[in-house]
DNA sequence: CACTTTGTTCAAAAAGAATTGAACAAACCC
DNA sequence: GGGTTTGTTCAATTCTTTTTGAACAAAGTG
């Protein structure tokens, strides 16, 4: 009962290592944990879908890490469950989404939009507070600043769809 | 010898607190440390430039933190040293850059471009390694993937100037 | 020069985030 | 039901990053 899904069971070969490291660095820039990069990287360079167990063994990470990592990658739309061949396979295998459009879209939806939304809410509260300041000079200054923040977020909101459009070829 | 630069010396008032927290959250999304958000936030909501000491006292952070935070903010182009009034002032005061264009430009230059560059370098090495794979099917697959990565980075490189242009009004 | 004021540096401590692993659930099989 | 295989959850641990604070430099002042 062994599982050499791709021709190799343990230990990444040097090229796989290079790719995994590339993605580890990549996701760190995005503020995502290392394991996410490892998992996605290995899937990205695999010709066949891999199971959770494959990931655990090949990357030397815990089942917990692999499970949580896959969950997040799924929520980002960066991996999907592969269509099982027969119906006789109960283990699920994962394959990467490799279109930049999808990856960027998922990241924006899951990681950026929510922050923009909560940012807007905070600014609204801020505007209220600023309105209540007695001193009119000071109030004017504060309202200016708040307005500037509103503009920032508006710009952010406008730029996202454009990014998505450009990255969708 | 006291320094109530802005009318208050200690303790942020509720509005200042709200703004600082807003920026603390904001910079965390960008993967920058909390202190950066605190410092920029307080400067952003101050009508007059503040000194390192002002920041230390008002934010309850260490001199070390304030010094390093200001250094980073300067390198990002997010704060600048204020023109000293007379010449009789040896302490330096800081004020925020409040144009989104500048902030985004600095972030792209300091945090994004370098990663894109090093990413390109890694992909080049990757391409070499992939070329040397014996099995021609496997080599074909790997080269496809590498090419895809190259496209991703190219797209990234193309999108940055567009973002900058849009955010510059 | 001795003394103060302002700011930087960096090793050590604290805070925070990710990973582990063991316990648990769910689904399948005999 | 009892046993196995697959996957999830979450408190405890480990690892990373940030912050602190004390020592140090630099520059001004009397």
């Amino acid at each position: 009962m062994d599982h050499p899904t791709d021709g190799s069971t343990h230990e990444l070969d040097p090229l796989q290592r290079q790719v995994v490291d590339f993605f580890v660095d990549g996701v760190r820039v995005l503020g995502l944990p290392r394991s996410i990069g490892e998992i996605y990287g290995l899937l990205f360079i695999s010709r066949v879908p891999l199971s959770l167990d494959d990931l655990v063994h090949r990357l030397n990470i815990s089942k917990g890490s692999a499970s949580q990592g896959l969950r997040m990658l799924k929520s980002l739309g960066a991996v999907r469950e592969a269509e099982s061949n027969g119906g006789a396979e109960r283990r699920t295998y994962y394959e990467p989404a490799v279109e930049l459009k999808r990856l960027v879209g998922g990241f924006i939806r899951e990681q950026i939009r929510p922050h923009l939304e909560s940012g807007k809410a905070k600014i609204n509260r801020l505007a209220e507070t600023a309105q209540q300041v007695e001193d009119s000079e000071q109030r004017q200054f504060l309202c200016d600043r708040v307005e500037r923040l509103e503009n920032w977020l508006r710009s952010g909101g406008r730029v996202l769809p454009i990014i998505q459009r450009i990255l969708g070829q």
Side-chain angles (χ1 to χ4, degrees), chain A residues 3-133:
Chain A
H3 264 292
T5 324
D6 194 14
S8 50
T9 308
H10 276 204
E11 301 301 298
L12 305 181
D13 67 41
L15 186 136
Q16 291 175 321
R17 178 83 278 156
Q18 270 186 85
V19 173
V20 167
D21 287 348
F22 175 82
F23 280 102
V24 166
D25 278 23
V27 300
R28 208 186 29 216
V29 175
L30 303 178
L32 302 175
R34 166 180 195 92
S35 60
I36 296 286
E38 294 184 310
I39 295 170
Y40 183 84
L42 184 53
L43 291 176
F44 185 83
I45 210 62
S46 272
R47 298 179 72 179
V48 297
L50 301 181
S51 69
L52 187 145
D53 253 36
D54 293 332
L55 295 169
V56 167
H57 291 127
R58 310 262 298 272
L59 294 170
N60 281 304
I61 60 179
S62 67
K63 258 200 321 171
S65 243
S67 174
Q68 290 175 193
L70 282 171
R71 166 145 50 114
M72 176 165 227
L73 285 165
K74 276 183 276 184
S75 84
L76 288 168
V79 310
R80 51 171 156 271
E81 308 189 354
E83 280 310 302
S84 196
N85 34 356
E89 181 60 270
R90 60 201 167 301
R91 195 187 296 221
T92 63
Y93 288 84
Y94 299 91
E95 58 189 9
V98 297
E99 316 84 43
L100 186 54
K101 182 173 44 172
R102 275 184 77 70
L103 299 175
V104 171
F107 187 75
I108 287 178
R109 171 171 37 77
E110 297 294 315
Q111 309 277 305
I112 303 192
R113 292 257 186 235
H115 285 291
L116 280 188
E117 297 311 322
S118 78
K120 274 182 206 158
K122 279 186 206 153
I123 290 178
N124 288 341
R125 262 170 282 139
L126 216 49
E128 298 246 323
T129 314
Q131 287 294 351
Q132 286 157 21
V133 168

Side-chain angles (χ1 to χ4, degrees), chain A residues 125-144:
Chain A
R125 262 170 282 139
L126 216 49
E128 298 246 323
T129 314
Q131 287 294 351
Q132 286 157 21
V133 168
E134 296 287 331
D135 175 14
S136 104
E137 289 257 332
Q138 175 69 0
R139 187 177 58 243
Q140 187 53 50
F141 167 76
L142 295 173
C143 289
D144 276 12

